[in-house]
Amino acid sequence: MIPPQEASARRREIEDKLKQEEETLSFIRDSLEKSDQLTKNMVSILSSFESRLMKLENSIIPVHKQTENLQRLQENVEKTLSCLDHVISYYHVASDTEKIIREGPTGRLEEYLGSMAKIQKAVEYFQDNSPDSPELNKVKLLFERGKESLESEFRSLMTRHSKVVSPVLILDLISGDDELEVQEEVVLEHLPESALQDVVRISRWLVEYGRNHDFMNVYYQIRSSQLDRSIKGLKEHFRKSSSSSGVPYSPAIPNKRKDTPTKKPVKRPGTIRKAQNLLKQYSQHGLDGKKGGSNLIPLEGHEHDFRVKHLSEALNDKHGPVAGRDDMLDVETDAYIHCVSAFVKLAQSEYQLLTDIIPEHHQKKTFDSLIQDALDGLMLEGENIVSAARKAIIRHDFSTVLTVFPILRHLKQTKPEFDQVLQGTAASTKNKLPSLITSMETIGAKALEDFADNIKNDPDKEYNMPKDGTVHELTSNAILFLQQLLDFQETAGAMLASQETSSSATSYSSEFSKRLLSTYICKVLGNLQLNLLSKSKVYEDPALSAIFLHNNYNYILKSLEKSELIQLVAVTQKTAERSYREHIEQQIQTYQRSWLKVTDYISEKNLPVFQSGVKLRDKERQMIKERFKGFNDGLEELCKIQKAWAIPDTEQRDKIRQVQKNIVKETYGAFLQRYNNVPFTKNPEKYVKYQVDQVGDMIDRLFDTSA
């Protein structure tokens, strides 16, 4: 049971909540009534607004439609007027632009091209809208006249501003890669920048609007002429420079030229000149026996003149002295080599210029045409060199043929650049240089083979033999020629390899070429040795024949040792050096046998036997007298004869004299001691004419024409 107090309190609580709920319900009823009233008011307002909008729409829409029609009519009128103005303007183009077209584009290219654009649009309009109107013919005629003026301006700009590249600038350009010092890059400006921009704009207009490619022919003809003249000017520069100062030169960088005009010698191939220097050295000094030594003895008298004469003939033809002809050959060779390099550099520069002016799909063809004259000139000159070499081979003038070697080497070194420059040109253009290289390799190989045959078949002429038994001109010529090949080992090896028919020759290596060159040098030396043996038989005196062979073999050996020839020979002949030494020693022994007829008179084995203290018989005294007389006469005769012989090598000369002196002095000393106290004559001074030291002094004067 709930207590009465709690029930009473609970009742009051419920009554209070009920009262609150009733108040809330009353508030809600009041709010709903107010909301209904507001809704009724809003509906009334909206209904009124809708009614007014309908009235407004019914009155505005007809006005709007009428205004829209009026605006459309106005726009149509404006467009019609604009079209009329545009059409009328075409009829005025001819009169507006005629003066500009008549005066030409010179100095006003921008304005001129603007006028041409107007004329072009007028032509298009009349063609589309009034093809039969006289106005079309008028603007067409004006357009053609304007196009001709642009073509004429193109030609004029190219002609006025295209200049021949000076030889000095070309030499700077082609020698820039070889300079040790870092210098500014040499840039060729074929056209001034302003002229170039005008030429580019005109060419683009002619391609796009003129539909005329004749300007490309004009371009390549003008640039071709400048390229050809530039190369010919370089060649002429070499000739003039060589005739005035002897050395073509190239000043420093162009923009420094006025301040510091430094002379810069051009590289020389050194083929003929090297032979001249060797000739000069040999004709003045003979051959020294010591490597790198300087104690060479001069040749004197008739034998010196004889040798110089024939050595000179070996490096000369029928038309002039060695120096003059060889200097000219050097100039021509240098000029051609530099012209080849110049062509590559100038052609590269021409192509760079061409890419800015000529449309891309016409560039290769135009470039091909542009370089033809200059390239044909180089190839023709190269073929002339081949032809001259062929004639030189016929007359056995092999020093002239040597000019082919530096040229061929340079062509092969330059070929990669050539091929790069000629990319995209016709096959006939690309094949010109390989064809020339093949011709030079063929003629070079023929020269090498003919030289070897000439060494083998050189006739034995008695009047052509040196009377003192010194080095034959054939030997010196052969060595001189072979020494020239040292500078062109790869070139000469490639020449020989190019003539090989074996399959391996089609892709020969440098080692293969080196072996071929070594084989060739051994062949020349073998032919030379056989010919020398044949020539030595011309001498009636075997001793002089031996001295002759000794001198020639020694000259060959020393020449091989002083150069890289010995290494080349050793590639295929390992024992060549030893073989020559054996030949030299063999000839020395042969020479020494010439003294046997002197020493045999006094040698112990041929002396009479007698008892000491026993008086000599007349027969024995006479025999001793004959021994002395035979020795004296033989000694005097040999010394007189052999004093006129020559051994240019001081080391060999001293060695041979010393050995012979020891043998003779020893034999003669023993002979004198044996008969010094023997009374074989009442006049001993008549038979004992020389003391031992005097005999030695006489032998020391052998091979010395000045004694």
Side-chain angles (χ1 to χ4, degrees):
M1 290 232 5
I2 301 173
Q5 291 178 352
E6 290 182 5
S8 177
R10 183 76 178 267
R11 187 181 302 112
R12 282 194 302 271
E13 182 180 354
I14 291 171
E15 287 176 353
D16 290 338
K17 286 182 179 182
L18 180 61
K19 185 177 180 180
Q20 290 176 358
E21 290 296 334
E22 288 177 350
E23 290 176 355
T24 301
L25 180 60
S26 176
F27 176 76
I28 290 173
R29 285 192 182 118
D30 292 340
S31 296
L32 286 174
E33 289 177 357
K34 289 179 180 179
S35 176
D36 288 341
Q37 184 64 38
L38 290 173
T39 300
K40 290 178 181 179
N41 293 336
M42 181 59 68
V43 169
S44 175
I45 291 170
L46 289 174
S47 297
S48 175
F49 185 71
E50 182 181 7
S51 174
R52 291 178 181 180
L53 281 177
M54 288 180 66
K55 290 179 180 180
L56 181 61
E57 182 179 357
N58 292 333
S59 61
I60 289 300
I61 286 177
V63 174
H64 174 72
K65 288 182 179 180
Q66 186 177 6
T67 303
E68 185 179 6
N69 291 334
L70 290 173
Q71 288 176 340
R72 188 179 298 112
L73 289 173
Q74 184 180 1
E75 289 175 359
N76 290 338
V77 169
E78 290 176 352
K79 287 181 179 179
T80 302
L81 291 174
S82 176
C83 288
L84 286 173
D85 290 340
H86 183 66
V87 170
I88 292 171
S89 68
Y90 289 130
Y91 285 86
H92 291 83
V93 165
S95 59
D96 292 342
T97 60
E98 185 175 7
K99 180 180 178 182
I100 297 174
I101 300 302
R102 185 174 63 252
E103 292 176 352
T106 304
R108 54 194 301 182
L109 182 61
E110 191 70 29
E111 181 183 5
Y112 193 90
L113 291 179
S115 297
M116 289 299 294
K118 294 179 181 179
I119 297 171
Q120 172 72 15
K121 290 179 180 179
V123 170
E124 293 173 355
Y125 171 79
F126 288 121
Q127 283 178 337
D128 293 339
N129 299 280
S130 184
D132 298 328
S133 65
E135 285 78 6
L136 176 60
N137 294 331
K138 189 173 183 179
V139 291
K140 268 188 174 182
L141 182 62
L142 195 59
F143 181 82
E144 291 299 322
R145 187 189 304 169
K147 185 171 70 172
E148 290 174 2
S149 294
L150 284 173
E151 292 171 350
S152 177
E153 179 69 5
F154 182 89
R155 178 188 294 273
S156 176
L157 287 171
M158 292 298 302
T159 303
R160 289 200 316 270
H161 297 288
S162 291
K163 305 297 182 184
V164 173
V165 183
S166 70
V168 170
L169 189 56
I170 295 176
L171 288 174
D172 284 338
L173 183 68
I174 62 181
S175 63
D177 297 337
D178 301 328
E179 290 299 315
L180 296 178
E181 304 147 8
V182 178
Q183 293 186 339
E184 299 177 22
E185 183 182 358
V186 180
V187 179
L188 296 180
E189 186 182 64
H190 295 291
L191 296 172
E193 185 63 27
S194 58
L196 176 61
Q197 293 301 323
D198 287 350
V199 167
V200 170
R201 293 207 61 187
I202 293 174
S203 67
R204 290 177 180 174
W205 188 93
L206 290 173
V207 170
E208 185 175 358
Y209 301 107
R211 294 178 176 82
N212 188 345
H213 296 162
D214 290 343
F215 77 95
M216 299 181 194
N217 296 331
V218 172
Y219 177 84
Y220 91 72
Q221 289 169 1
I222 294 173
R223 294 308 308 168
S224 175
S225 174
Q226 300 303 327
L227 175 62
D228 192 40
R229 289 170 60 193
S230 297
I231 294 176
K232 288 178 178 177
L234 177 62
K235 184 177 180 181
E236 188 63 25
H237 172 76
F238 269 83
R239 290 176 176 171
K240 290 181 179 179
S241 298
S242 63
S243 62
S244 60
S245 62
V247 181
Y249 70 94
S250 165
I253 295 301
N255 58 4
K256 299 179 182 178
R257 184 169 297 120
K258 293 182 180 179
D259 301 325
T260 57
T262 307
K263 289 192 176 183
K264 180 170 54 182
V266 176
K267 292 185 177 180
R268 316 285 289 179
T271 304
I272 306 300
R273 187 151 295 152
K274 183 177 178 183
Q276 282 183 249
N277 293 337
L278 289 170
L279 165 64
K280 181 178 179 181
Q281 180 189 44
Y282 185 76
S283 64
Q284 290 179 347
H285 304 295
L287 178 68
D288 183 22
K290 297 180 181 179
K291 292 183 179 179
S294 60
N295 52 340
L296 304 176
I297 63 168
L299 301 174
E300 298 184 3
H302 172 72
E303 299 303 331
H304 174 269
D305 296 337
F306 176 84
R307 175 148 353 131
V308 172
K309 172 179 178 291
H310 287 286
L311 284 173
S312 298
E313 289 175 352
L315 295 175
N316 196 9
D317 58 16
K318 301 177 182 179
H319 306 293
V322 172
R325 185 179 65 89
D326 289 344
D327 282 344
M328 183 56 65
L329 285 174
D330 264 354
V331 171
E332 294 296 331
T333 301
D334 284 353
Y336 187 74
I337 287 174
H338 284 81
C339 285
V340 169
S341 296
F343 172 81
V344 173
K345 294 294 185 181
L346 292 176
Q348 289 173 341
S349 181
E350 288 292 346
Y351 190 77
Q352 292 174 356
L353 176 66
L354 176 143
T355 54
D356 292 331
I357 299 173
I358 304 300
E360 184 176 358
H361 54 288
H362 291 283
Q363 289 174 2
K364 295 295 184 182
K365 183 178 179 181
T366 304
F367 179 70
D368 196 345
S369 301
L370 188 155
I371 62 174
Q372 284 304 312
D373 286 348
L375 182 59
D376 287 344
L378 286 177
M379 296 303 107
L380 178 60
E381 191 171 350
E383 290 297 339
N384 289 339
I385 292 171
V386 172
S387 178
R390 188 175 292 110
K391 294 176 182 178
I393 292 173
I394 295 174
R395 64 176 184 268
H396 302 301
D397 178 15
F398 295 101
S399 67
T400 299
V401 180
L402 287 172
T403 59
V404 171
F405 285 70
I407 292 173
L408 177 58
R409 179 176 65 183
H410 186 72
L411 289 179
K412 296 180 79 169
Q413 290 173 345
T414 313
K415 186 176 181 299
E417 288 185 89
F418 243 100
D419 293 341
Q420 185 177 7
V421 169
L422 299 183
Q423 279 184 352
T425 58
S428 58
T429 303
K430 294 178 182 177
N431 292 334
K432 287 180 179 180
L433 180 64
S435 177
L436 178 59
I437 289 176
T438 300
S439 297
M440 287 194 171
E441 284 187 333
T442 302
I443 200 65
K446 178 170 175 55
L448 293 175
E449 292 303 320
D450 281 21
F451 179 79
D453 292 341
N454 188 59
I455 293 296
K456 180 179 180 180
N457 301 319
D458 184 70
D460 299 325
K461 296 178 181 179
E462 186 173 352
Y463 69 84
N464 201 32
M465 296 295 290
K467 293 180 180 180
D468 58 358
T470 189
V471 178
H472 196 281
E473 69 270 15
L474 180 67
T475 303
S476 56
N477 294 342
I479 295 301
L480 285 174
F481 185 85
L482 294 180
Q483 284 174 331
Q484 305 314 300
L485 299 184
L486 288 177
D487 291 334
F488 309 102
Q489 294 182 37
E490 292 184 8
T491 304
M495 285 177 176
L496 296 169
S498 68
Q499 304 305 304
E500 291 292 308
T501 56
S502 61
S503 58
S504 61
T506 58
S507 58
Y508 55 85
S509 63
S510 58
E511 186 63 29
F512 176 73
S513 299
K514 190 173 184 179
R515 290 188 66 82
L516 283 179
L517 183 58
S518 174
T519 302
Y520 170 76
I521 293 174
C522 292
K523 177 183 177 181
V524 171
L525 294 175
N527 290 349
L528 177 60
Q529 187 172 340
L530 290 174
N531 201 318
L532 290 173
L533 284 171
S534 176
K535 289 182 184 300
S536 68
K537 296 175 183 177
V538 171
Y539 297 110
E540 296 179 359
D541 191 335
L544 181 55
S545 177
I547 290 296
F548 171 76
L549 290 176
H550 164 273
N551 284 332
N552 282 272
Y553 291 156
N554 185 63
Y555 178 86
I556 294 171
L557 177 59
K558 296 299 183 183
S559 298
L560 294 178
E561 289 177 336
K562 286 184 176 182
S563 64
E564 296 179 15
L565 283 173
I566 193 65
Q567 286 87 351
L568 270 177
V569 170
V571 172
T572 53
Q573 292 291 337
K574 304 293 185 184
T575 61
E577 187 173 359
R578 185 180 67 189
S579 176
Y580 273 110
R581 295 192 186 282
E582 291 174 352
H583 287 317
I584 292 169
E585 188 60 34
Q586 181 182 353
Q587 299 309 317
I588 292 176
Q589 293 174 5
T590 301
Y591 161 75
Q592 289 173 344
R593 285 196 288 271
S594 70
W595 282 85
L596 291 177
K597 63 182 179 181
V598 176
T599 57
D600 278 352
Y601 281 106
I602 58 175
S603 62
E604 187 174 354
K605 64 180 180 179
N606 295 326
L607 296 178
V609 179
F610 60 90
Q611 295 180 354
S612 177
V614 179
K615 186 178 180 181
L616 295 176
R617 294 174 299 198
D618 292 341
K619 182 179 180 182
E620 291 174 337
R621 287 196 296 271
Q622 184 62 32
M623 184 176 293
I624 293 173
K625 292 177 182 178
E626 290 176 355
R627 298 295 180 186
F628 270 103
K629 187 177 186 303
F631 172 78
N632 292 335
D633 292 346
L635 176 65
E636 291 169 356
E637 181 185 3
L638 279 185
C639 287
K640 180 180 178 181
I641 294 173
Q642 294 185 9
K643 184 177 70 171
W645 297 354
I647 299 180
D649 188 334
T650 56
E651 183 180 346
Q652 286 290 310
R653 181 171 65 245
D654 293 342
K655 174 184 174 183
I656 291 173
R657 288 194 301 207
Q658 187 62 40
V659 171
Q660 198 59 53
K661 182 170 67 173
N662 292 340
I663 295 173
V664 177
K665 285 178 66 175
E666 181 181 352
T667 306
Y668 184 59
F671 179 74
L672 282 182
Q673 186 177 4
R674 186 183 185 98
Y675 293 104
N676 192 34
N677 297 319
V678 175
F680 66 92
T681 179
K682 293 180 180 180
N683 300 307
E685 67 277 358
K686 179 180 178 180
Y687 296 98
V688 187
K689 296 174 64 174
Y690 304 104
Q691 296 301 314
V692 174
D693 289 341
Q694 288 178 303
V695 172
D697 291 340
M698 293 173 70
I699 295 175
D700 277 337
R701 290 193 291 271
L702 297 180
F703 316 116
D704 187 358
T705 58
S706 63

